[in-house]
Amino acid sequence: MQRVSARDMMQIAPLFAGWKQALILSCLDGFMGEAHASRGYRSARIVNGDFCFLAGSPDPALLSHLRPGYIILIPQTPAWSALIEATFGVSVRRVVRYATKKESGVFSAAKLQSISSTMKRNYSLHPINEELYTQAMAEDWSRDLCSQFSSYSDYAARGLGVGAVIDGRLVSGASSYVAYLSGIVVQIDTMEPFRRQGLASACAARLILECMKRGLYPCWDAQNKASLALAEKLGYRADVAYPAYELAY
């Protein structure tokens, strides 16, 4: 197994052809993430944030030396799924995720503006500035809103986000999980006591509006059916369900 340098990304790009995942594009574009390949580039993995995409001929070596902690393994084929299950056994949990279609021009600015305005009066929406970035990074529930960026200056240069605030405290947000050449991957989080109050919808709607202004595409990949329902409310259309494996070790 070998690390793939930025200049050699073209060697593995054919293995991921047709895989419409912005997290893959982010790495191939040289924005974020890292890649490893087998000798001869017959198989490869891309790790970006908590996600590991496995492509080409299944190779056990590409399931080794993963970052300790939590990671989501995305197999390209059933053969990769079989190798993941054989390698990790009961340590992995098979789940279903839901991709949305990558379509430009499908969002209604008027609808998004309406959604972003339907919050209780004691909440307000703000761009994620340095203060809100610091708050997000300080708590477990919100860290993923900004954690893939190396610093606030990196986030300010490449990221984008909106937070719902009450009494100066961040309680919900929609932000760039990662960035790629023509867009971002959307991350949504809300503090437990403030869920089911429309805050995530409002933040996401405002974030999509900002992406539209900047000519960026806000890619949405749903963790579950609830996330997919929120995406559809905002204007996305469902694409395909696909298997993934959650690994904690």
Side-chain angles (χ1 to χ4, degrees):
M1 183 176 67
Q2 58 186 326
R3 177 78 177 266
V4 180
S5 66
R7 68 181 181 182
D8 289 332
M9 285 294 176
M10 290 184 64
Q11 297 282 353
I12 66 168
L15 296 173
F16 295 92
W19 205 342
K20 300 176 182 179
Q21 278 277 358
L23 287 162
I24 293 174
L25 293 176
S26 174
C27 186
L28 294 177
D29 287 346
F31 271 62
M32 304 173 80
E34 61 181 45
H36 291 84
S38 61
R39 290 184 180 275
Y41 298 102
R42 292 184 298 273
S43 56
R45 79 182 188 200
I46 284 177
V47 177
N48 206 345
D50 291 332
F51 295 82
C52 175
F53 298 89
L54 300 155
S57 301
D59 185 342
L62 292 174
L63 295 179
S64 64
H65 301 98
L66 293 168
R67 183 184 62 198
Y70 171 79
I71 195 162
I72 300 169
L73 303 169
I74 313 292
Q76 187 183 56
T77 63
W80 270 112
S81 293
L83 180 59
I84 291 169
E85 292 173 6
T87 301
F88 297 110
V90 296
S91 296
V92 292
R93 183 171 74 98
R94 184 181 171 104
V95 297
V96 176
R97 297 182 63 91
Y98 303 88
T100 61
K101 293 183 178 181
K102 314 301 186 288
E103 304 172 300
S104 59
V106 298
F107 300 109
S108 165
K111 180 179 180 180
L112 292 170
Q113 186 60 50
S114 175
I115 293 172
S116 70
S117 302
T118 55
M119 292 195 310
K120 295 178 180 179
R121 292 183 180 179
N122 53 336
Y123 297 101
S124 57
L125 297 182
H126 301 273
I128 294 181
N129 55 18
E130 187 167 8
E131 179 183 352
L132 294 183
Y133 170 91
T134 300
Q135 287 190 38
M137 291 297 293
E139 299 195 47
D140 290 341
W141 74 265
S142 54
R143 193 168 293 119
D144 278 346
L145 292 172
C146 307
S147 62
Q148 301 310 316
F149 297 85
S150 61
S151 63
Y152 174 69
S153 60
D154 183 29
Y155 181 82
R158 301 191 294 166
L160 182 64
V162 174
V165 175
I166 181 170
D167 297 329
R169 185 182 186 186
L170 179 69
V171 296
S172 183
S175 182
S176 313
Y177 183 67
V178 302
Y180 62 105
L181 187 61
S182 57
I184 65 169
V185 176
V186 178
Q187 174 72 26
I188 304 287
D189 289 298
T190 302
M191 188 185 296
E192 179 64 41
F194 299 92
R195 293 177 182 173
R196 293 173 291 280
Q197 298 182 37
L199 300 180
S201 299
C203 289
R206 185 67 62 83
L207 177 62
I208 294 169
L209 285 167
E210 190 59 36
C211 285
M212 292 169 66
K213 291 178 185 177
R214 301 187 185 202
L216 299 172
Y217 186 78
C219 181
W220 189 296
D221 192 83
Q223 179 183 9
N224 49 44
K225 288 186 176 180
S227 176
L228 179 61
L230 174 55
E232 292 175 326
K233 173 183 175 181
L234 294 164
Y236 293 90
R237 293 198 299 164
D239 190 0
V240 296
Y242 65 92
Y245 292 85
E246 296 181 348
L247 173 64
Y249 68 106

